Amino acid sequence: MDGSKIRIGNVGEALSLLEKLKQDDFSFSEKDYESLELFGEIAELAIEISGPNFHGTITGGLARGLWYYQREIYKAVAFAIYNSDNYGRIPKPELKNYTLVFDVDDGCTELLAKTLDIGKSLVEKAMDGMTPKEKAALLLSILLGLGGFAAAGWVATAFSEDYFSHKTAVQTEQYKAAQAEAASETEVERIRAEVERDKIQADLVASAIGSSPIASRFNAATAEGVKSIAKYSPEATSLKVGSVELDRAQIEELNQRSSREIPDVFNIVGYYRVTSTTEPTPEGVVRVGLAGNGDEFTAHMNLKDEDHPIADEQSNAVFLAPKTGEKLYINVRMKKASDGIREAYIESFPPAPKQAEIALAAPPPRP
């Protein structure tokens, strides 16, 4: 590829290049990576919101929803760099490298932010020692996740009706209402075919980024961003984030589902110092004092949990750790409140990865 610049401007081209990067006989040098030109939908995030209060302005609710979305992006960045959602570990001067900066068009609330700089900054920060192919693949995967091209699959779990079937029905009804008696069956078929292509593309993106824990984390961040914007803009009549499009009914259903979900529940995998343990209860529950990631708290460890079984050697290591001072590599699921950690559970003891493998070897977080 040396000597010819590669230009990627849409999802299809990005998926095509990702496939080529997997091939041993595909030549791709550092010069190719440096000259890789990414533009258009693959390099930006578009948010469109309509409703009575949205006329080229950002309401207080929308601003709050965007902040929660931004926080999810910071968490995804922290996951990539530190294998932990604790974005407080990111040096404050570096946060600007991972911050969405939106342009607002006149006449309607359409927000456009460049995501390319975030992806490039992260690759440069966290992925030293990778080959040009690996860096390009990671960059494209992050942009696909951050751009929301597979987020519909995550968001759609909140809907009673299939997301793409609903999209087809809504667009068809809108077309027929606009055309009245002149509605063409050919045009209706075109709408159905376009939505089906959207579904196929979303599935392809989900498959392409599914093998990358980091890209999957950014996909989850965008899905949570959709939920946050919808939650704090309940008066919106339509919302589009990347390729995710919601109408009024879907926004209401999403908010009803979100209101029943537990906020700020996430997993943090990292090294913890065990400060104390209690004797197991008859049910097998042990209270374990932990210190790590800037917090000191008590976590529950269930020795009889069939969903997250804990081996004897792992539980023994926990009981010995307060005496030996050894730090353990633990997967802890936390529920946070405004005043700190409300509840914590030890779910597993994954193998401690080598420092250079941390970002790539970590398991994907739960949505």
Side-chain angles (χ1 to χ4, degrees):
M1 292 303 301
D2 285 324
S4 58
K5 179 181 292 187
I6 304 177
R7 303 180 76 250
I8 304 295
N10 58 52
V11 175
E13 292 170 349
L15 291 172
S16 178
L17 180 55
L18 278 173
E19 283 300 312
K20 291 179 180 178
L21 291 168
K22 297 177 183 177
Q23 301 170 9
D24 293 337
D25 59 352
F26 180 69
S27 176
F28 190 87
S29 67
E30 187 66 32
K31 182 178 179 181
D32 293 321
Y33 175 74
E34 293 297 334
S35 63
L36 180 62
E37 185 176 345
L38 304 176
F39 63 97
E41 65 177 1
I42 197 65
E44 60 191 25
L45 173 70
I47 298 177
E48 300 177 20
I49 185 166
S50 301
N53 297 332
F54 302 100
H55 302 284
T57 58
I58 296 179
T59 65
L62 176 56
R64 189 176 183 186
L66 290 172
W67 158 241
Y68 279 102
Y69 180 17
Q70 178 64 71
R71 190 177 67 170
E72 288 299 320
I73 292 175
Y74 288 153
K75 289 180 181 180
V77 170
F79 176 78
I81 300 174
Y82 306 111
N83 193 34
S84 162
D85 274 9
N86 183 6
Y87 65 91
R89 299 176 65 181
I90 303 174
K92 287 186 178 180
E94 294 182 15
L95 285 175
K96 66 179 185 299
N97 297 330
Y98 313 112
T99 301
L100 292 171
V101 179
F102 289 101
D103 293 327
V104 184
D105 290 342
D106 292 335
C108 62
T109 303
E110 294 183 3
L111 312 177
L112 191 65
K114 292 182 179 180
T115 55
L116 178 58
D117 293 339
I118 293 177
K120 282 190 170 181
S121 295
L122 185 53
V123 172
E124 293 170 5
K125 172 71 176 180
M127 302 303 150
D128 290 341
M130 294 183 70
T131 67
K133 280 187 176 183
E134 290 169 335
K135 289 194 289 187
L138 181 64
L139 176 59
L140 289 171
S141 297
I142 289 173
L143 294 178
L144 287 171
L146 189 54
F149 300 109
W154 292 57
V155 178
T157 58
F159 300 137
S160 56
E161 184 180 5
D162 177 75
Y163 171 84
F164 289 99
S165 297
H166 181 84
K167 185 176 181 179
T168 300
V170 169
Q171 291 191 5
T172 300
E173 289 303 314
Q174 289 175 343
Y175 167 73
K176 289 182 176 180
Q179 298 298 318
E181 297 299 326
S184 164
E185 186 59 32
T186 301
E187 183 67 13
V188 171
E189 286 301 318
R190 183 192 64 79
I191 292 172
R192 291 172 181 164
E194 284 189 355
V195 176
E196 181 62 23
R197 283 196 294 272
D198 290 344
K199 181 181 185 301
I200 293 172
Q201 178 176 276
D203 290 342
L204 289 172
V205 174
S207 177
I209 68 178
S211 59
S212 168
I214 294 173
S216 297
R217 185 63 185 83
F218 276 97
N219 188 44
T222 296
E224 289 302 315
V226 174
K227 296 178 183 179
S228 295
I229 294 171
K231 177 180 179 180
Y232 292 106
S233 304
E235 72 277 27
T237 55
S238 67
L239 170 64
K240 181 177 180 181
V241 180
S243 62
V244 181
E245 300 180 53
L246 307 179
D247 60 21
R248 175 73 178 182
Q250 289 175 312
I251 292 172
E252 291 178 350
E253 187 171 3
L254 182 61
N255 287 339
Q256 289 174 2
R257 171 64 178 269
S258 297
S259 66
R260 296 192 295 269
E261 293 179 345
I262 300 174
D264 291 328
V265 177
F266 50 89
N267 284 53
I268 294 183
V269 183
Y271 287 95
Y272 293 87
R273 180 169 56 87
V274 180
T275 59
S276 64
T277 61
T278 64
E279 290 294 324
T281 67
E283 293 77 22
V285 177
V286 180
R287 290 170 58 86
V288 182
L290 295 177
N293 294 304
D295 292 308
E296 292 192 16
F297 56 95
T298 299
H300 293 86
M301 179 175 66
N302 189 346
L303 302 179
K304 298 182 180 180
D305 188 344
E306 296 181 356
D307 293 329
H308 304 96
I310 295 175
D312 289 343
E313 61 184 71
Q314 295 168 337
S315 61
N316 290 338
V318 172
F319 289 120
L320 289 173
K323 299 178 182 178
T324 64
E326 178 187 3
K327 288 187 176 181
L328 304 181
Y329 194 68
I330 309 175
N331 175 12
V332 182
R333 187 158 183 81
M334 301 181 180
K335 182 195 296 185
K336 279 201 170 185
S338 59
D339 56 349
I341 297 172
R342 182 179 299 171
E343 295 177 6
Y345 302 89
I346 295 176
E347 290 201 342
S348 63
F349 295 83
K354 297 178 182 178
Q355 189 64 32
E357 299 173 346
I358 284 179
L360 296 179
R366 294 181 176 183

